[in-house]
Amino acid sequence: MNRRSFLKWANLAGLAAGLPSAAFASTADDAKQRAGSTRAKKAASPENILLKDYRPKSIYKIPVTEIAKARYPIIDMHSHPYAKTPAEIEEWVKNMDEVGVEKTMILTMATGTEFDEIHRKYSVHPDRFEMWCGFDFTGYDKPGFGPAAVKELERCHSAGARGVGEIHDKGQGLRSGKSKTVGMHPDDPRVDSLFDKCGELGMPISLHVADPIWMYQKMDKTNDGLMNAWEWRLDNQPNIVGLSGMVDIFEKTLARHRNTTFIACHFMNLDYDLGRLGEVLERNPNLYADISARYAETGPIPRFASQFYAKHADRLVYGTDMGFDKAMYRVTYRILESLDEHFYEIDQFSYHWSLNGFGLSDAILKRVYHDNAEKLLTARKQ
């Protein structure tokens, strides 16, 4: 009988009382150490690493490009009121100066006193931040909905709102911040008056439809985005319109409101099917798409993505939607400007796909970073 077998047998048989105390203490300590070692080995085994904890590191000895400041001045068309205090707002402005961001759209999603308070905080820097409001969907399910919502939109516009967003519909109904609906989608006649008023006031609408495709797919070993999909899953939600259906609804909305400019957030969540997004853009001259928070989703396909940027360079606008840290801005520049290959930004994006740079040309960068947004924002004043 070897020592391991003996210890196991002794514990089972209750022989501790018959052993000298010092000897038993020694063997007991040894047993604890061995058990701890076994647990450590088990925890370190690849079979026990959770997908959410996987943190690969590139093995390749290849160039790493560090871009501290964007090649051209940037208009960020998609951000939110992340800074809550005057000190944080000042820090944000300082960061913008360092990384090359000229102006940021703050999509408040708010109306009423909430919008007014956010506007008050950020109006200290009117040349650096622009406030966009939300919609008030109160009473959407009651007869007579519309006039009150339009009146609040007009009030927000008078108070300083220059656009509307970010309005969401992930398949269950429109939502603007805390104001929600059930089953009322962008093509619903009840929101026609709001969209038309935006066109009349020259207020672009930042509209987020659906979510990444893997949120709707089976949560199994075939799901390419499972590391994020499980937390944000939509496949188990009842009465939900899928991604493709939401794109169809958005396109119907665009056709019904030609005098209103829309910005599809996050590539309209067609980052997995840029060909279809290109077709939607070509059919709808009143549509732009922002590239915010979909850098990791397009980084794995650099050649196809760069071709898409080249073909639709006049309809894409830069956005972040990821806070205001300098490191966040700089990783977006690395993806857009460099030709770096096979690098990871897991903590920033939560995916553990390897990413690659697109190496976009100066002409494309200038349009996406600045000129398209400037054209969009200037046109509304005419």
Side-chain angles (χ1 to χ4, degrees):
M1 179 183 288
N2 62 30
R3 184 167 186 175
R4 180 175 296 179
S5 300
F6 170 78
L7 290 173
K8 182 177 181 182
W9 175 79
N11 286 333
L12 291 174
L15 296 181
L19 292 170
S21 59
F24 182 74
S26 176
T27 55
D29 289 343
D30 288 346
K32 289 181 181 178
Q33 290 176 2
R34 289 176 177 275
S37 177
T38 300
R39 285 195 297 271
K41 289 179 180 178
K42 183 177 180 181
S45 168
E47 295 180 355
N48 297 288
I49 297 175
L50 298 178
L51 190 62
K52 68 180 182 66
D53 297 326
Y54 184 47
R55 293 292 184 274
K57 294 183 179 180
S58 177
I59 61 172
Y60 296 100
K61 304 301 181 183
I62 52 179
V64 173
T65 305
E66 296 182 2
I67 303 174
K69 192 169 186 177
R71 196 172 304 172
Y72 297 99
I74 282 177
I75 298 176
D76 185 345
M77 292 296 293
H78 191 137
S79 195
H80 296 289
Y82 300 112
K84 305 302 181 184
T85 66
E88 289 179 342
I89 292 174
E90 293 302 321
E91 179 187 357
W92 195 345
V93 172
K94 182 181 178 182
N95 288 352
M96 288 166 62
D97 287 339
E98 289 189 33
V99 301
V101 176
E102 179 182 290
K103 194 167 189 175
T104 298
M105 304 298 116
I106 303 295
L107 309 183
T108 72
M109 304 181 283
T111 57
T113 57
E114 183 182 3
F115 171 78
D116 296 342
E117 178 61 17
I118 296 171
H119 184 273
R120 183 190 65 78
K121 289 181 180 179
Y122 283 84
S123 62
V124 177
H125 295 283
D127 295 333
R128 308 307 298 278
F129 298 107
E130 183 174 295
M131 300 298 108
W132 291 24
C133 66
F135 286 145
D136 183 357
F137 291 123
T138 302
Y140 78 94
D141 55 347
K142 303 291 192 301
F145 171 75
V150 169
K151 185 176 181 181
E152 175 57 18
L153 174 66
E154 292 175 318
R155 189 202 70 81
C156 287
H157 180 260
S158 297
R162 292 296 171 261
V164 172
E166 174 186 7
I167 309 302
H168 294 77
D169 189 346
K170 298 183 179 183
Q172 294 177 307
L174 285 163
R175 177 167 61 87
S176 177
K178 300 172 185 176
S179 188
K180 302 179 181 180
T181 75
V182 176
M184 185 171 79
H185 301 295
D187 64 342
D188 194 300
R190 287 174 287 180
V191 290
D192 281 349
S193 60
L194 283 167
F195 290 157
D196 287 341
K197 180 57 67 172
C198 285
E200 179 184 325
L201 295 173
M203 301 176 75
I205 301 170
S206 183
L207 186 58
H208 174 143
V209 295
D211 250 354
I213 186 64
W214 31 89
M215 310 305 184
Y216 302 87
Q217 296 175 331
K218 291 182 179 179
M219 299 295 144
D220 60 18
K221 64 183 181 181
T222 68
N223 192 315
D224 198 14
L226 187 61
M227 67 291 280
N228 267 346
W230 176 255
E231 182 177 359
W232 303 101
R233 66 185 301 184
L234 294 169
D235 63 301
N236 59 351
Q237 298 298 307
N239 303 316
I240 190 168
V241 179
L243 193 157
S244 183
M246 286 308 307
V247 171
D248 290 339
I249 286 173
F250 197 168
E251 193 157 12
K252 291 177 185 176
T253 305
L254 292 164
R256 283 169 58 171
H257 302 281
R258 288 298 188 202
N259 293 325
T260 302
T261 298
F262 290 84
I263 303 166
C265 301
H266 319 305
F267 287 112
M268 205 185 294
N269 282 302
L270 288 172
D271 43 86
Y272 79 104
D273 190 357
L274 293 175
R276 183 177 180 186
L277 175 58
E279 293 171 358
V280 177
L281 287 168
E282 289 168 1
R283 287 193 293 264
N284 297 280
N286 55 330
L287 175 66
Y288 288 80
D290 83 37
I291 66 175
S292 68
R294 293 299 179 266
Y295 298 94
E297 289 81 354
T298 50
I301 53 169
R303 289 183 294 276
F304 191 80
S306 61
Q307 291 168 9
F308 174 80
Y309 273 85
K311 187 174 182 179
H312 301 286
D314 60 339
R315 307 291 287 284
L316 303 176
V317 294
Y318 178 89
T320 53
D321 192 29
M322 298 180 290
F324 59 91
D325 291 341
K326 287 180 284 188
M328 177 276 296
Y329 291 108
R330 287 166 176 162
V331 71
T332 71
Y333 306 161
R334 186 181 183 189
I335 292 170
L336 296 174
E337 297 185 26
S338 83
L339 283 170
D340 288 1
E341 299 176 290
H342 194 78
F343 59 91
Y344 296 96
E345 284 292 344
I346 301 169
D347 292 334
Q348 187 68 248
F349 300 124
S350 299
Y351 293 105
H352 44 64
W353 298 316
S354 65
L355 308 179
N356 306 275
F358 302 155
L360 299 179
S361 70
D362 285 2
I364 294 173
L365 286 170
K366 194 169 184 293
R367 290 183 187 180
V368 174
Y369 275 159
H370 187 275
D371 291 356
N372 293 338
E374 183 179 53
K375 178 182 177 181
L376 186 160
L377 298 176
T378 302
R380 65 190 175 173
K381 298 175 184 176
Q382 296 176 353

